[in-house]
């Protein structure tokens, strides 16, 4: 008899202790949340709640999440490039431009460029030209941090140049050797096409360009026609900062 009474007392005590465990109820929108303690949470739909009525939805409602494209209004672009002349000259350069959205997908680019043109005609002539230019371009293309896109640009690069060094190995080709130590001014029309690829907080761009260096005057054409090369095609890699 004592064992039966003791067992009954234990059962009643356990049930009483369970009944004393606090349970908090929260109403979150159309749901009821039972919070027993950290890590012990249960939730259910409230009684007599219709989700269509609660959110004022039609029975055929389809919820679509639209991700809006946010174009870049203004930013800085840094680039490096390498180009080749159909003959032997080569050019290497860096460029920094400020990009400003004009309207829609149209941008204006303006900045500063620094280029080195290297010419090596073997035993005839070797020459290095330093060029400092001001790129002025109109660019067409979507520029945003959400999606990859294509772009194209046209422009002019007013440039001052000077001969860094030149070695005249032979007088066989007098026209190419003429004007070894000249400096001056040129204008280079440029076209460029390529793609933009979002990379983290920046946009990477890879493109190809064509450039033609014009430095002819009423008195005749100068060192670029004679030796340094005028037409160049090349590749450009850069980053558009956030």
């Amino acid at each position: 008899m004592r064992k039966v009474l003791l067992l009954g007392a234990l059962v009643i005590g356990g049930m009483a202790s369970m009944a004393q465990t606090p349970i908090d109820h929260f109403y979150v929108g159309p749901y009821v949340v039972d919070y027993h303690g950290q890590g012990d949470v249960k939730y259910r739909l409230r009684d007599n709640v219709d989700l269509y009525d609660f959110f004022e939805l039609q029975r055929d409602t389809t919820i679509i999440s639209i991700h809006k494209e946010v174009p870049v209004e203004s930013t800085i672009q840094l680039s490096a490039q390498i180009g080749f002349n159909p003959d032997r000259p080569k050019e290497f350069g860096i460029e920094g431009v400020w990009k400003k959205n004009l309207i829609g997908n149209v941008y204006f680019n303006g900045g500063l460029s620094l280029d080195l043109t290297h010419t090596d005609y073997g035993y005839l002539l070797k020459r290095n030209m330093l060029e400092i230019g001001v790129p002025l371009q109109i660019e067409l293309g979507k520029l945003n941090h959400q999606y990859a896109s294509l772009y194209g640009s046209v422009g002019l690069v007013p440039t001052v140049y000077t001969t860094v060094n030149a070695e005249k190995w032979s007088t066989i080709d007098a026209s190419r050797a003429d004007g070894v130590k000249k400096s001056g001014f040129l204008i280079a029309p440029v076209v460029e096409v390529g793609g933009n690829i979002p990379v983290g907080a920046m946009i990477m761009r890879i493109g190809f360009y064509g450039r033609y260096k014009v430095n002819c005057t009423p008195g005749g054409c100068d060192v670029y026609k004679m030796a340094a090369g005028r037409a160049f095609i090349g590749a450009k890699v850069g980053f558009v900062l956030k």
Side-chain angles (χ1 to χ4, degrees):
M1 185 65 180
R2 292 182 180 179
K3 292 182 179 181
V4 173
L5 293 176
L6 179 60
L7 180 60
L10 291 175
V11 172
I12 294 173
M15 294 177 63
S17 63
M18 292 178 60
Q20 293 175 3
T21 302
I23 300 176
D24 292 327
H25 300 279
F26 301 98
Y27 292 96
V28 181
Y31 298 97
V32 179
V33 178
D34 297 333
Y35 184 72
H36 298 266
Q38 186 174 3
D40 189 359
V41 179
K42 296 180 181 179
Y43 59 91
R44 64 188 182 278
L45 188 66
R46 290 164 54 184
D47 295 337
N48 301 320
V49 171
D50 185 286
L51 290 181
Y52 288 99
D53 295 336
F54 188 89
F55 290 109
E56 298 182 354
L57 301 175
Q58 298 297 324
R59 293 291 171 175
D60 59 350
T61 298
T62 301
I63 301 176
I64 301 176
S65 178
I66 300 177
H67 190 81
K68 184 179 180 181
E69 294 185 15
V70 181
V72 175
E73 291 296 329
S74 65
T75 186
I76 299 295
Q77 174 188 316
L78 302 177
S79 306
Q81 64 189 32
I82 179 171
F84 302 89
N85 182 271
D87 205 342
R88 294 190 180 184
K90 298 182 289 290
E91 66 176 9
F92 311 88
I94 55 175
E95 178 183 87
V97 298
W98 173 65
K99 307 176 74 68
K100 174 62 179 178
N101 181 253
L102 299 180
I103 183 173
N105 298 321
V106 180
Y107 288 82
F108 168 76
N109 300 336
L112 189 67
S113 64
L114 182 66
D115 293 89
L116 179 68
T117 299
H118 174 69
T119 305
D120 187 350
Y121 288 107
Y123 65 91
L124 291 177
L125 180 68
K126 291 184 179 180
R127 177 191 304 273
N128 289 316
M129 308 290 292
L130 178 64
E131 305 166 0
I132 301 176
V134 180
L136 303 172
Q137 304 166 336
I138 295 296
E139 178 181 317
L140 177 63
K142 292 184 178 181
L143 191 62
N144 61 68
H145 292 273
Q146 287 79 40
Y147 303 101
S149 61
L150 299 177
Y151 74 90
S153 68
V154 296
L156 296 173
V157 186
T159 303
V160 293
Y161 66 87
T162 186
T163 303
V164 177
N165 57 63
E167 300 175 0
K168 180 179 176 182
W169 295 99
S170 172
T171 57
I172 296 177
D173 190 339
S175 64
R176 290 188 182 276
D178 183 36
V180 168
K181 291 296 183 181
K182 287 192 175 182
S183 300
F185 177 81
L186 64 85
I187 295 179
V190 179
V191 295
E192 182 181 341
V193 294
N196 300 308
I197 306 173
V199 179
M202 298 184 294
I203 299 174
M204 181 179 182
R205 61 168 36 195
I206 301 174
F208 300 93
Y209 72 91
R211 183 200 310 263
Y212 191 82
K213 301 178 182 180
V214 182
N215 74 318
C216 294
T217 64
C221 294
D222 206 342
V223 66
Y224 281 84
K225 179 181 179 180
M226 303 303 176
R230 293 188 292 182
F232 288 82
I233 57 175
K236 178 183 289 188
V237 177
F239 287 93
V240 178
L241 307 183
K242 187 171 183 180

